[in-house]
Amino acid sequence: MNKYGTILVVDDNTSILTAMRYLLGNIFERVLTTTQPDEVLKLMVQETIDIVLLDMNFTLGVNNGSEGLFWLRTIRKQHPQIPIVLMTAYADINLAVKGLKCGAADFVIKPWDNDELVRKLKDVLDMQNEIVSLDEVEKDHIRRTIDHCHGNLTQAAELLGITRQTLYNKLKRL
């Protein structure tokens, strides 16, 4: 069985980190762990990380997920290509939605089901490796550019380096 690359697990609970090393050691070539979220960016410069499993709460008594969302945004700014899966014992739908809107690849609730956790991590990594057609990339880029320009097609065409008529023709194909 081919193993996945390197996972970085960030949780303030050392027992969770130990459990993750045992669980994920057969799935990943390397399982790196830290209890300190402020070490993540340094580790990501020193190591090649393929995926991050990030706890949402690090301060005793704080369970609203704001710390995890902060670190999610911070990591995504520096490493937007690396998927981050959030993990928390204090889950609710709103927190999951906030995490996904901030760029999380998925969301895991503690206590987790081992098979489900492994499946989610594999799915996220497998999706990273999917080949997307050039037409799909172009469609996505055009949609994001138009959204960025708040629907102003003239401005979007300029940003895309094409004429407005060419943009209209491409939109007909979408």
Side-chain angles (χ1 to χ4, degrees):
M1 175 177 97
N2 286 340
K3 288 188 175 185
Y4 290 84
T6 301
I7 184 169
L8 173 59
V9 183
V10 188
D11 198 299
D12 59 319
N13 185 327
T14 56
S15 297
I16 299 255
L17 297 179
T18 299
M20 289 297 177
R21 280 192 292 274
Y22 283 115
L23 172 64
L24 302 175
N26 292 328
I27 309 301
F28 290 89
E29 291 174 11
R30 295 180 66 213
V31 179
L32 303 177
T33 61
T34 183
T35 58
Q36 302 298 318
D38 55 348
E39 291 181 3
V40 170
L41 294 177
K42 183 173 67 171
L43 281 168
M44 293 179 84
V45 169
Q46 296 170 346
E47 305 281 346
T48 300
I49 307 293
D50 296 293
I51 189 168
V52 176
L53 182 57
L54 177 67
D55 190 24
M56 297 286 298
N57 301 297
F58 294 93
T59 303
L60 192 62
V62 175
N63 59 14
N64 62 11
S66 61
E67 293 171 304
L69 292 175
F70 169 81
W71 287 109
L72 168 66
R73 288 189 293 269
T74 302
I75 296 166
R76 298 272 307 145
K77 280 182 190 172
Q78 297 291 320
H79 304 277
Q81 75 285 4
I82 298 176
I84 302 168
V85 175
L86 298 175
M87 179 172 56
T88 186
Y90 304 98
D92 67 24
I93 296 297
N94 291 331
L95 183 57
V97 170
K98 277 184 189 176
L100 294 172
K101 283 184 177 181
C102 288
D106 211 330
F107 197 84
V108 175
I109 299 171
K110 296 177 190 174
W112 63 88
D113 172 90
N114 287 346
D115 292 335
E116 181 70 11
L117 173 63
V118 168
R119 184 195 59 76
K120 282 186 178 196
L121 294 172
K122 285 181 173 181
D123 285 351
V124 166
L125 286 169
D126 289 344
M127 285 189 335
Q128 291 285 107
N129 296 325
E130 281 185 15
I131 305 275
V132 180
S133 73
L134 193 53
D135 284 342
E136 286 300 314
V137 171
E138 182 182 46
K139 287 177 190 176
D140 182 55
H141 187 63
I142 288 171
R143 284 187 191 114
R144 286 187 300 127
T145 303
I146 291 170
D147 287 345
H148 175 78
C149 295
H150 306 289
N152 183 329
L153 297 181
T154 301
Q155 186 181 12
E158 287 175 17
L159 281 175
L160 291 167
I162 58 177
T163 66
R164 187 177 165 113
Q165 185 60 47
T166 302
L167 179 57
Y168 278 128
N169 292 339
K170 290 182 179 293
L171 288 172
K172 287 179 189 175
R173 293 190 325 218
L174 297 180

